Amino acid sequence: MFDDIQHRLSDALGRFKVRGKLTEANMQEGLRAVRTALLEADVNYEVVQRFMKRVTEKAAGQELIKSVRPDQQIVKIVHDELIELMGEGDPHIRFEKAGPTVIMLCGLQGSGKTTTCGKLARRLIGLGRKPLMVAADLQRPAAIEQLLVLGRQLDVPVHAEDPAAADPVEVCRKGVLEAEKLGRDTVILDTAGRLHVDDELMGQLKKIEKKVRPHQVYFVCDALTGQDAVASAGAFNEALELDGVIMTKLDGDARGGAALSVRQVTGVPVKFVGMGEKLERLDPFDPERIVGQMLG
Ligand code: GDP
């Protein structure tokens, strides 16, 4: 994980390790290398610009040039600023006092929505909740069967209907009613994704938001698709007002660009990260740990 960005940053930060005093020229060269490392790691351009401004100001303020170990100081500055970029981790889910708490998952096809549905249900069971999953992804027929399998594995009820006859809004609405009937306190809606953000997809999700009124809306963001994922998160947030992001496939991400950019670009906190295909591989988002790995 993060091998690529780790090599790039380590190479860039190594330039501050000079014999004798750091010169203004060394410093500029080092900072330029840090900037290039982040851009090559697919961090959003604007985010990199803002980041570099803050790092440069801090480096000047701490008089890196006069410092005995400029490399250690710059590593600390970069470390702190990378954490700042990602914002604080917030793995808490706010539950409603009365009636089932409804959580809607949305995202592009293949981002890991259905898998994340199962992971989230498993996590909720661990918190003593009684989840019910709703198979509202009628675009991808295999998604319904996949959710039913996850439900059996986790011993969690799944509300599913025949995709040929069903309407996703109704499936969600009936799913919530079924949860009430069965005494389940948390509902997870697995909604449809498409390969690209389009009006039809957004229209359908907006309809579910309006008619079913989920209490939390999470965007499932595939880390491997980098800035495309971040741009989609922005588009979904404009249409739906997201409460959080769940970043999947971080285990296979060498660059880290999506993880470093999504909070700054959308203003929405990352709540959990997917660290593998298995159901137990959903961790709270931990910026400190991520930066630790990026800096090696
Ligand atoms: P959906 O179309 O959004 O419902 O996506 P799926 O849940 O079917 O996931 C697509 C693929 O991504 C599947 O092969 C999953 O096993 C895989 N996947 C999902 N989350 C993760 C993750 O955190 N890490 C890894 N390595 N694979 C994941």
Side-chain angles (χ1 to χ4, degrees):
M1 198 168 99
F2 302 136
D3 292 355
D4 197 67
I5 185 167
Q6 198 218 315
H7 285 134
R8 292 182 200 281
L9 280 176
S10 134
D11 179 53
L13 293 169
R15 299 183 194 215
F16 290 90
K17 213 181 262 175
V18 289
R19 228 178 286 190
K21 283 264 155 75
L22 189 76
T23 64
E24 183 69 33
N26 294 146
M27 186 164 96
Q28 292 308 330
E29 189 208 325
L31 289 173
R32 253 198 314 275
V34 171
R35 180 175 182 276
T36 308
L38 292 174
L39 287 173
E40 285 176 349
D42 196 29
V43 181
N44 172 279
Y45 180 79
E46 305 283 333
V47 173
V48 174
Q49 295 299 86
R50 262 180 277 147
F51 175 86
M52 288 315 299
K53 188 162 174 277
R54 290 177 62 113
V55 168
T56 307
E57 277 167 14
K58 265 195 172 176
Q62 295 194 8
E63 299 199 67
L64 220 57
I65 288 175
K66 292 194 194 139
S67 131
V68 186
R69 290 294 310 268
D71 55 321
Q72 285 177 354
Q73 284 208 28
I74 190 79
V75 168
K76 165 115 186 35
I77 294 171
V78 168
H79 170 272
D80 293 352
E81 287 300 318
L82 286 176
I83 288 177
E84 185 73 27
L85 273 193
M86 288 190 275
E88 297 221 340
D90 171 22
H92 300 289
I93 299 171
R94 214 165 43 81
F95 296 114
E96 298 302 301
K97 290 208 177 76
T101 301
V102 182
I103 301 169
M104 170 162 134
L105 298 188
C106 59
L108 297 181
Q109 196 174 318
S111 59
K113 256 184 298 42
T114 307
T115 310
T116 303
C117 219
K119 288 178 172 178
L120 202 55
R122 185 183 178 276
R123 193 169 187 89
L124 290 167
I125 294 169
L127 293 174
R129 307 287 300 181
K130 290 193 226 146
L132 175 142
M133 303 190 285
V134 178
D137 180 353
L138 309 182
Q139 297 295 321
R140 191 167 69 84
I144 300 178
E145 186 50 39
Q146 199 179 328
L147 205 66
L148 288 167
V149 170
L150 290 172
R152 283 196 289 275
Q153 247 170 290
L154 291 163
D155 201 13
V156 163
V158 175
H159 177 81
E161 295 179 27
D162 175 5
D167 160 52
V169 180
E170 278 305 295
V171 173
C172 291
R173 221 177 48 78
K174 286 193 203 142
V176 176
L177 290 177
E178 190 177 333
E180 282 167 359
K181 214 164 64 194
L182 295 176
R184 310 300 290 185
D185 56 20
T186 319
V187 178
I188 311 171
L189 309 174
D190 183 25
T191 64
R194 296 241 159 70
L195 293 176
H196 302 283
V197 176
D198 63 43
D199 291 346
E200 206 189 329
L201 168 68
M202 285 307 182
Q204 188 186 95
L205 295 172
K206 275 193 206 170
K207 225 161 150 189
I208 296 175
E209 195 184 40
K210 200 164 144 218
K211 295 265 163 76
V212 186
R213 301 223 162 265
H215 302 99
Q216 310 274 318
V217 181
Y218 297 155
F219 178 73
V220 177
C221 182
D222 178 346
L224 296 182
T225 59
Q227 289 316 299
D228 284 345
V230 174
S232 315
F236 273 76
N237 191 37
E238 270 170 33
L240 295 172
E241 276 193 44
L242 303 174
D243 297 286
V245 168
I246 299 180
M247 187 152 285
T248 58
K249 309 184 199 176
L250 209 61
D251 52 306
D253 185 19
R255 298 190 298 172
L260 286 173
S261 314
V262 75
R263 175 69 189 257
Q264 295 292 316
V265 173
T266 62
V268 179
V270 180
K271 298 195 83 77
F272 300 103
V273 292
M275 297 297 292
E277 296 189 274
K278 296 226 171 81
L279 286 177
E280 62 272 22
R281 306 309 317 257
L282 184 75
D283 292 346
F285 179 56
D286 183 352
E288 188 92 38
R289 202 168 139 223
I290 291 177
V291 172
Q293 276 161 350
M294 286 179 174
L295 293 177

